[in-house]
Amino acid sequence: MLVLGIETSCDETGVALYDSDQSDQGVNQGLIAQVLHTQVALHQQFGGVVPELASRDHVRYIQGLVQTVMQEGDVEWQDLDGIAYTAGPGLFGALLVGATVARTMAWMLKLPCLGVNHLEGHLLACMLEQEHPTFPFVALLVSGGHTQLIFVKAFGQYECLGQTVDDAAGEAFDKVAKMLGLSYPGGPAVAKLAMQGDPTRFVLPRPMINRPGLDFSFSGLKTAVSQLLSRSDIDPHDQQTKADVARAFEEAVVDSLVKKCMRALQHTRCDKLVLVGGVAANQRLREDIALKTEKIGASVYYPRLSYCTDNGAMIAYAGCQRLLRGERDQGFAIEVRPRWPLEALS
Ligand code: KG4
Ligand code: ZN
């Protein structure tokens, strides 16, 4: 089944073609083509995503991207077997753009169409790699809007083991970046600066780490950074100090995430861990997880960096799996779900 996938939930317009009949072929595992337009430059001047501008930018680029992906994949309209789009969670207006384009095209081409859960897309992005896990596995989903540990028992069977009680890890990276005068998106900028930082100069708290359970909290850590930067004995404008703070912050986030991942593996007696979402691109997190999982004989899987952040490939893949199961949008109403928890899926 050849599926066109469309992602417009936030600040990336992603379009991809996935063919399940080629799913065991080569490094691309059935991914025929994918294109992405990022809005980072557009939102940078505002220090974060401006929803209305995001919607308008999706409108501006989406049709061109669909045409490009069809050309790059050497696919004709009549070759398509279905269309999938992100129906939520995400920004209402941004989601509506992808949903409208997908449903209109599907109607014109008389194809089945399906709204996909963005988080399920992230979870299953690892399946697009040649070396992918088999079910069941534990997934750490860490993005700008979510920080969750999920027990993926089978396709569509997701048990939330723990989640953040306040800020998402990516959100904390973005807020700390602002405090350090770094540009949006903050994660990569903080990580880059932290590379020059001394990990022993400052030690920040690891919220909830000594409490039982698998929930996270990052808002206290953000406050601790702000208090540290306003201490009278440090110069918050000194480049080395900023790097040391970035390093202490990154260490604290990574430590919290890794400890809870290990606890989740123990709790589920599972030996496979998958890291997905934008923060999974973080190099220190990857290194630390690799070290700790190796110690207990567990395997860790990460999608390539371009599948960690938002993309159309994961939506084409997840959509294809559900379309193959016979799921389809019904009626003509175009609906999106800005809030749509993973546990609601089956
Ligand atoms: O999954 P994603 O692209 O978008 C959603 O939130 O759905 O994740 C974006 C988040 C941002 O908060 C960004 O700062 C963070 O991922 N991020 C990183 C890194 N690269 C992206 N955080 C830490 N280290 C990175 N290298
Ligand atoms: Zn995402």
Side-chain angles (χ1 to χ4, degrees):
M1 177 179 256
L2 178 61
V3 173
L4 176 76
I6 294 177
E7 154 64 34
T8 63
S9 68
C10 189
D11 58 349
E12 327 268 0
T13 322
V15 187
L17 287 163
Y18 172 78
D19 184 359
S20 57
D21 296 330
Q22 297 184 45
S23 65
D24 53 358
Q25 287 172 24
V27 287
N28 287 328
Q29 296 289 294
L31 189 75
I32 307 299
Q34 73 159 326
V35 289
L36 186 87
H37 166 70
T38 176
Q39 303 179 354
V40 164
L42 173 70
H43 300 293
Q44 215 153 33
Q45 55 190 311
F46 304 101
V49 178
V50 182
E52 183 55 30
L53 293 184
S55 314
R56 292 181 200 190
D57 209 54
H58 287 306
V59 171
R60 206 168 290 134
Y61 284 95
I62 194 158
Q63 280 168 306
L65 289 171
V66 169
Q67 269 163 2
T68 308
V69 89
M70 296 290 287
Q71 273 162 13
E72 285 188 8
D74 198 17
V75 168
E76 302 292 334
W77 297 114
Q78 62 267 24
D79 299 333
L80 290 177
D81 299 307
I83 299 182
Y85 60 95
T86 305
L91 301 170
F92 187 84
L95 289 167
L96 261 186
V97 178
T100 305
V101 169
R103 296 232 36 201
T104 309
M105 280 177 39
W107 178 77
M108 285 166 61
L109 297 164
K110 299 192 169 43
L111 288 173
C113 191
L114 187 69
V116 171
N117 183 296
H118 179 82
L119 304 175
E120 181 173 57
H122 271 306
L123 274 191
L124 300 177
C126 57
M127 296 304 192
L128 286 163
E129 297 296 356
Q130 220 164 353
E131 215 177 296
H132 56 258
T134 49
F135 299 117
F137 57 82
V138 171
L140 173 69
L141 171 60
V142 263
S143 68
H146 295 86
T147 300
Q148 284 186 323
L149 268 166
I150 300 136
F151 189 27
V152 182
K153 296 173 185 168
F155 178 79
Q157 283 183 37
Y158 311 120
E159 180 189 340
C160 181
L161 300 168
Q163 58 191 320
T164 182
V165 297
D166 40 56
D167 291 351
E171 191 181 354
F173 265 100
D174 294 337
K175 288 179 178 167
V176 165
K178 257 191 197 171
M179 293 179 205
L180 293 169
L182 303 171
S183 61
Y184 164 88
V190 170
K192 193 168 166 218
L193 183 62
M195 283 186 344
Q196 282 120 46
D198 172 1
T200 59
R201 181 164 170 211
F202 303 117
V203 178
L204 290 167
R206 274 82 166 137
M208 298 185 81
I209 214 159
N210 294 318
R211 278 199 228 163
L214 294 163
D215 284 339
F216 304 92
S217 164
F218 294 107
S219 101
L221 178 58
K222 189 187 62 192
T223 311
V225 170
S226 156
Q227 283 167 348
L228 179 57
L229 287 169
S230 55
R231 250 168 54 178
S232 58
D233 59 333
I234 69 160
D235 174 6
H237 303 294
D238 172 58
Q239 197 55 23
Q240 188 56 49
T241 300
K242 288 210 271 188
D244 295 342
V245 173
R247 183 63 186 267
F249 167 75
E250 190 184 46
E251 292 275 336
V253 175
V254 168
D255 202 22
S256 304
L257 294 174
V258 173
K259 288 230 163 73
K260 296 283 161 90
C261 283
M262 303 316 288
R263 208 179 280 174
L265 288 175
Q266 218 174 16
H267 172 79
T268 54
R269 296 169 193 271
C270 186
D271 63 355
K272 279 163 282 173
L273 178 69
V274 171
L275 255 62
V276 289
V279 184
N282 185 277
Q283 217 47 45
R284 288 204 61 76
L285 176 63
R286 289 181 172 222
E287 283 164 15
D288 206 19
I289 286 270
L291 215 72
K292 303 276 166 40
T293 44
E294 200 188 338
K295 264 190 196 156
I296 60 160
S299 319
V300 58
Y301 301 83
Y302 325 86
R304 69 193 70 171
L305 293 184
S306 60
Y307 294 163
C308 275
T309 46
D310 291 351
N311 62 84
M314 64 186 195
I315 302 304
Y317 176 81
C320 182
Q321 303 311 310
R322 288 193 174 272
L323 285 164
L324 281 170
R325 297 196 325 179
E327 294 180 32
R328 275 120 182 72
D329 281 350
Q330 303 295 333
F332 291 103
I334 295 171
E335 285 172 293
V336 293
R337 305 176 70 173
R339 289 177 187 276
W340 188 7
L342 264 176
E343 299 94 301
L345 301 179
S346 57

